[in-house]
């Protein structure tokens, strides 16, 4: 299998905090290959294994997080696990969306509309990440 190429990104130092965060998110790769390479010490076989694991786990954890018949705490735990999986891989958008779902579900104060919005954002982030994983895995 070919090695996964490294990628880089930068933000402008003069941007305001909100603008810098928005710019970073907009220019952020779906899968941060530099982070992934760092996490795996450049081992392409391990990178492929982590990508495959994320692909499988992200689908099942998203499904559990979205399961309205499950307890809120169990759904929040699934979102938390998805956040950790995403952080290990370098899928920042998935990690942030999963954290929002976790917070909405764990706090109990968020209404159903807020939870549904957070879940929709998570589903979109997971879908984009799974497409990127499929492309990286060839």
């Amino acid at each position: 299998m070919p090695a996964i190429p490294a990628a880089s990104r930068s933000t402008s130092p003069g941007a305001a905090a909100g603008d810098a965060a928005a710019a970073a998110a907009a220019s952020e790769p779906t899968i941060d290959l530099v982070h992934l390479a760092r996490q795996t010490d450049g081992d392409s076989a391990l990178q492929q294994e982590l990508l495959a694991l994320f692909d499988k786990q992200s689908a099942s954890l998203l499904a559990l997080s979205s399961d309205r018949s499950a307890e809120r705490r169990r759904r929040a735990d699934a979102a938390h696990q998805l956040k950790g999986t995403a952080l290990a891989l370098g899928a920042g958008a998935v990690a942030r969306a999963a954290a929002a779902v976790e917070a909405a579900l764990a706090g109990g104060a968020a209404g159903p509309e807020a939870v549904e919005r957070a879940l929709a954002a998570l589903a979109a982030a997971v879908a984009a990440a799974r497409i990127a994983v499929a492309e990286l895995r060839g």
Side-chain angles (χ1 to χ4, degrees), residues 38-80:
R38 208 175 302 124
Q39 290 290 92
T40 60
D41 200 26
D43 183 334
S44 62
L46 181 55
Q47 291 170 11
Q48 292 296 325
E49 187 177 331
L50 286 177
L51 290 167
L53 185 61
F54 174 82
D55 190 41
K56 180 179 177 182
Q57 284 187 335
S58 64
S60 62
L61 291 170
L62 175 61
L64 181 54
S65 296
S66 303
D67 183 359
R68 290 172 192 82
S69 67
E71 294 178 3
R72 281 177 80 105
R73 181 71 251 162
R74 186 162 182 236
R75 294 171 68 192
D77 289 346
H80 178 80

Side-chain angles (χ1 to χ4, degrees), residues 9-12 15-30 92-93 96:
R9 61 188 154 100
S10 63
T11 58
S12 61
D19 291 342
S27 67
E28 175 183 39
T30 306
R96 285 188 301 278

